[in-house]
Amino acid sequence: MTATTPERLDPLQLLLKHDKPVPRYTSYPTAASFHTEVGAAELAAELGRPSTDDVSLYVHIPFCRHACWYCGCNRITSQAGAKVVGPYLQALARELELIGQCSGQRRRLGQLHWGGGTPNYLSLAEQAQLWALIAQHFDLVPDLEASIEVNPEFLSRDEVQGLRRLGFKRISFGIQDADPQVQAAVNRIVPVDQLRRAMAWMREAGFESVNVDLICGLPLQTPERFATTIALVEELQPDRVSLFSFAYLPGQLPLQRKIAADDLPSQRERLRMLQGAYEAFTSDGYIAIGMDHFALPGDSLAAAAGQGRLHRNFQGYTTAGELDLLAIGVTAISQYPRLFSQNQRDLKGYYAALAAGQLPVERGLVVQDPEVLLRRQIIQRLMCDFRIDFDSLSLEGPLDGPRRFAAEWDDLGQLEADGLLRLEPNGLTVSHEGRWLIRTIAAVFDPQQRRRASGSRLI
């Protein structure tokens, strides 16, 4: 008798077999580990450490004119405009003052990102006011990588030109899905003509990089409708594309209860959409980066991925993950090598802390355990590079991966049998099929996940 090779499962069967709740690993440990015993004192101590390195600044603008029903972001829906923006800008000014008092030195700003919410909820004058406020507290490097997220629904040519004049070089806008029926089903309606105008204005303004966001798995989506959206994106030719899989969590996100579960596409349809998008973008010259990004070869994200310099943090994939990430605004998360610090998630609590002269920290996490730091590095490299070489990890002395992680190696062997990865003498490489399950592969090295699965499903 001759031995037979086990029949390989198709992509859908693999997803059904291995699909379970797993984190997106924008950090390790994840935000689920944060606790209130870490607060303002820990952040103040970190800010007080002398440093000559550049810093990355994230500014959270929580306001939106209306709520998109799929959204899981921390946002505040309001039509009040300047009435809510004015007090918020004053609060940001106070937070920056407190940060400056704790640090005792003026830091150079090497990267800046405004997210939300909807940063272009602010008027042109308010955007300029916020930019000037940041410049009061930091030295902006000449080649500052400044990026902003905008909602194309309310965008104008003058605003796009104004953002570029302020100093923003990168801009991102959400398409999610261009089909009118899908847009109506999630309460986010932006006509295709407006999307085309927004891209034309951004190109005219001379932004170095334009990113668009897409979401797969929204209500009323079909492979045929989503293919039309992908064709529109190919026509627009953004420098980057972020393709996210919709996490339907109505128990945790009450807004999603407005979406009927019966309107969601099936797992098979979602997989067809993801595979169709992957094939379309890669055949159109885009490079697949990480688990959900695509970039044209000339973009800095593609360069970072090719050179092994890609990082992942709370902003997703980034080229400057080695910088300390200081975040300001309600619910914003700062990230340092051994500290995570999250601001108050309630606007009233955020204002109250600042009024009391305190850094508005609600919770966080201090990471000192070398074992946790090692696992962070492993998970980071898997999420960014789709491979691990234990010989190349920056550790004290050589590391025998199979022996150090014997239990994990057994689990990886089962994934290898399904064709998701290839085990090597002291490392592993994820296969093409395994890319769809990279979060599951990374979770093998997460003891919390081994004890109890949590997070969102893959598909």
Side-chain angles (χ1 to χ4, degrees), residues 275 278-279 419-421 430-437:
Q275 288 181 317
Y278 179 91
E279 292 167 1
L420 301 181
L421 55 88
V430 177
S431 68
H432 175 78
E433 293 78 9
R435 285 179 172 241
W436 299 109
L437 287 149

Side-chain angles (χ1 to χ4, degrees), residues 115-347:
T118 306
N120 63 316
Y121 184 95
L122 276 60
S123 67
L124 280 169
E126 291 163 343
Q127 292 164 3
Q129 182 182 346
L130 179 53
W131 183 281
L133 176 64
I134 293 168
Q136 288 175 19
H137 292 272
F138 297 93
D139 292 327
L140 310 187
V141 300
D143 56 346
L144 174 65
E145 183 182 302
S147 58
I148 186 171
E149 303 166 14
V150 297
N151 181 346
E153 181 180 0
F154 305 104
L155 202 61
S156 69
R157 179 179 179 273
D158 287 346
E159 183 177 14
V160 173
Q161 295 282 348
L163 290 172
R164 186 68 185 94
R165 284 194 299 270
L166 276 180
F168 286 103
K169 296 180 179 179
R170 302 186 182 280
I171 192 167
S172 176
F173 67 100
I175 293 178
Q176 322 311 358
D177 192 294
D179 184 88
Q181 293 184 61
V182 177
Q183 291 184 355
V186 295
N187 197 39
R188 181 186 174 89
I189 299 174
V190 186
V192 169
D193 286 347
Q194 174 64 2
L195 295 172
R196 289 192 173 106
R197 283 192 292 267
M199 176 60 82
W201 293 332
M202 292 171 190
R203 291 307 187 197
E204 178 190 11
F207 279 90
E208 293 180 3
S209 181
V210 179
N211 175 85
V212 301
D213 292 339
L214 302 175
I215 299 180
C216 175
L218 294 175
L220 302 186
Q221 270 184 342
T222 66
E224 293 72 26
R225 286 175 176 166
F226 199 57
T228 301
T229 295
I230 298 302
L232 172 66
V233 175
E234 290 183 288
E235 171 198 326
L236 297 178
Q237 279 285 294
D239 302 277
R240 300 178 184 177
V241 180
S242 303
L243 173 59
F244 302 112
S245 186
F246 175 50
Y248 183 57
L249 302 168
Q252 301 174 34
L253 302 171
L255 199 61
Q256 291 188 358
R257 295 170 192 167
K258 295 178 179 290
I259 295 174
D262 291 344
D263 286 341
L264 298 174
S266 68
Q267 288 180 307
R268 185 174 294 277
E269 288 176 317
R270 289 177 68 149
L271 183 59
R272 282 180 58 195
M273 287 187 272
L274 288 170
Q275 288 181 317
Y278 179 91
E279 292 167 1
F281 288 135
T282 53
S283 65
D284 199 29
Y286 286 87
I287 297 171
I289 294 172
M291 68 177 186
D292 49 22
H293 280 53
F294 300 85
L296 292 175
D299 190 84
S300 62
L301 200 67
Q307 297 166 8
R309 296 186 295 103
L310 196 65
H311 291 270
R312 186 166 174 80
N313 60 22
F314 290 105
Q315 298 174 35
Y317 288 103
T318 177
T319 60
E322 73 281 0
L323 301 182
D324 290 342
L325 173 60
L326 173 62
I328 62 172
V330 63
T331 202
I333 301 176
S334 298
Q335 182 173 345
Y336 294 85
R338 296 176 185 266
L339 173 70
F340 296 105
S341 172
Q342 183 170 23
N343 279 354
Q344 293 283 342
R345 289 171 286 175
D346 174 76
L347 189 60

